[in-house]
Structure formats: C-alpha cells, structure tokens
Amino acid sequence: MNERHWFTSESVAEGHPDKVADRISDEILDACLATNPEARVAIETLVTDGLCVVAGEVRGASPDYEACARRAIRDIGYRSGRFSDQVPVQVHVHEQSKEIALGVDATEHKEEGAGDQGVIFGFACDETPELMPAPLHYAHRIVEALAKERHAGNDRLGPDGKSQVTVEYEGARPVRADAVVVSQMHAASLSREELSALVLALVKRVLPEGWFDERTRFFLNPAGSFVEGGPAVDTGVTGRKIVVDTYGGAAPHGGGAFSGKDPTKVDRSAAYAARHLAKNVIAAGLASRCLIQVSYAIGVSEPISLRVDCQGTGRIPDVQLAAALCEIAPMAPRKIRERLGLNRALYARTAAYGHFGRAPQADGGFSWERLDLVDELKRLG
C-alpha cells in the first residue's frame, strides 16, 4: 500500500440482463413487504429472449408476480422489441419450507434465528466522500449518469451497458483515472462520434476534477456497435453481480446475493448492518479502512463470530473495536431489522448502481448508510 499501484472495478447498468433479474426479484419482495412486513421471501428471476421466469418460495404474501415483473421491465426502459414489458411471464413459486420456518421464526421460548448460515462482510474506506472504494464508486456513477440522461428523454441511449474504471493510487490515496471503459447500448441512428462526445462529457463530469487527464485511456464500445442488448441477446439471472453490488473486489465477499431476499436472510440484512458499522467507524475517525466479517448458523439468533480488521489503520486495537461494536449495535437478525427498519418496501431501488455508498433517504431507504453511530464511536478513540 506504500507504492504506486492500480485497481479496477466494474459496474453494470439497470438494463443489464442480470440487473433486470435483480430488479424483478426486488420488485416482488417490495410487493410482499408492502402487504405483510413479516413476509418470508426468496425469489429468483431468469430473463432471456422473449421470456421471464420467476421462481422461489414465499410465505405470508400473495403478490401479482406477473404485474411486478412487467412493472420493473417497463420502468427500466424495455417497452418494445423481443424483450419488453409484454414478454410472457412464467411463475413457479411455492410455500417456504416448514423446517426452515421452524428454525427461523421466533417463539415464546426462542429468539428469531438467522434465515441461513452465511459468512458476511462489510467494508468502508476514506477514498471517497461516500466512504466507498473509488474504482467502484465512480464506475457506478458513470452508468447511473447515462441512465439519468436516458430517463430524461434521450431515447437514443438504450437501457443496457457497463462501465469499468481503473484508478491509480499513490500509496493508499487514489489520484487519477488511468483507464475508463464504457459499453453503452444505443440506437442505430446515433453515430459513434455523437455517442463518444456524450459519454466522455458525462465521464468527466462524474470523476473528480483533474482525474481524467491527458494520460487517461478511454474505451467506448470496444467491440464495435451496441445496438442490440438486454435480455433479448443475453440471459440474466438474479444474484450474478454480487461483487458489483458490494465493493467491486476491493473487499472480500461472503458469496451470498441480496436481491429477492427478505431481511430475515442474513446474506442481505447482516451485510447491510456490517456496512453500517464499518462506515461509522471510518466517519468517526477510528480508521481509514475497516473490514468486518460476521458469520451465522441457520436458526441461531446470535452471530457465530464477528471480526474487525482495520488493516493497520486503526486508532484502537481491532479486538477492542469488535467488542465495542457488539455492544453498540448487536448483530442478531431481528435487532438488525429493527435498528435499520428493514421490514419495508425499500429494495427495488437497491437493484442497480450498488447497495452501498448511496444517500440515506427520508422514507428509510439505504438506512445502513446513516452516520448515526459516529458520536458514540468517537468516545472509543
């Protein structure tokens, strides 16, 4: 970390096939939680040329699966062609296993248990104001800026796309963009010159001042034209962009996906809680990098382990910080859900542009990004 080095992360647009699948799964989850905050949901979606398949298990809610899928597809921007909001929707959803329910549900003799075993990571660093790794943060903002341009009326931009940002570091400090790659779906009527001017202007607007310099390499649609895109040409499945969803490879990933899962599933809720803790540690000035690992066993309410690693940047010992965090913000599943207000219809908005590094919202969205533990953590230092 004391030498000059480079790190690369990618992001994908909301119209990328895997993100379409994530959005549909989370749209269904929101519909379930809107009618029953205690609904149990585990939904997977597959989208491909002329077809959408929804499968999984649900207890305590009966949403209109087809309507949810069509609403998500339409909102993303697929309204005509081989894959659109008129695509056939097959639904294969059954009740949650009774054995899982018995292990997870709280009773008068037992606290609510974790919805599955799992190893979960949370991370934060001081590379950006949002306390996220710089390569991923700016990759997200590029595809998000292109989506905003499209939703604002530029119908010559398509919903599908990707970005990739390579950041040059001097020691631990990001200093410039070494390379930017953008693949953007577009109308045949949009020339390469026009598209390049549009995308380049957005990239320069997103990156910090001075980061895009005369040495920065810029690649636009390296394979050539990108007129056909989305599920019509590439199959998408829920949960295949888990590194994009989290830290872009700058921190470990436990392997569990988020979308389509209700917050009793610690793959999702504990990952949000671990990010919440790590972000507050950085904001409190206790470290410049903070990685938190938590593990669970299905049906067991308390975590099996919690480890803090400030990667040599901490102001207090990692073990001491871990003990303090367990006291300040207990990581039992129900306590996480109550503390962060997760039993609400908040999830469709998380399906693209990252689950972390977003602004907390007035209705409780992205509550895990709040800096509400900073004052208490500062007392530890």
Side-chain angles (χ1 to χ4, degrees), residues 100 102-105 110-118 264 266 294-305 331-334 336:
I100 293 176
L102 285 172
V104 174
D105 290 351
K110 181 181 80 70
E111 178 59 82
E112 177 185 298
D116 200 353
Q117 74 175 47
T264 65
V266 289
V294 194
S295 68
Y296 293 86
I298 187 168
V300 179
S301 61
E302 292 298 326
I304 302 302
S305 67
M331 294 290 281
R334 178 169 288 280
I336 289 172

Side-chain angles (χ1 to χ4, degrees), residues 15 17 78 83 159-160 185 226-234:
Y78 289 113
F83 184 87
D160 199 357
M185 184 180 177
F226 188 1
V227 173
E228 293 187 344
V233 298
D234 188 12

Side-chain angles (χ1 to χ4, degrees), residues 3-42:
E3 299 178 351
R4 185 178 300 273
H5 64 281
W6 294 260
F7 195 86
T8 304
S9 294
E10 71 161 347
S11 182
V12 295
E14 64 188 286
H16 183 282
D18 293 329
K19 284 286 133 198
V20 175
D22 284 345
R23 171 64 182 276
I24 293 169
S25 295
D26 275 336
E27 197 81 38
I28 292 168
L29 171 61
D30 279 355
C32 292
L33 294 176
T35 58
N36 179 7
E38 297 294 330
R40 300 292 190 258
V41 183

Side-chain angles (χ1 to χ4, degrees), residues 194-216:
E194 290 175 302
L195 180 62
S196 180
L198 170 64
V199 174
L200 189 56
L202 286 175
V203 167
K204 291 180 177 179
R205 190 185 312 158
V206 164
L207 293 175
E209 185 176 358
W211 273 37
F212 197 103
D213 58 27
E214 67 281 355
R215 293 184 293 129
T216 301

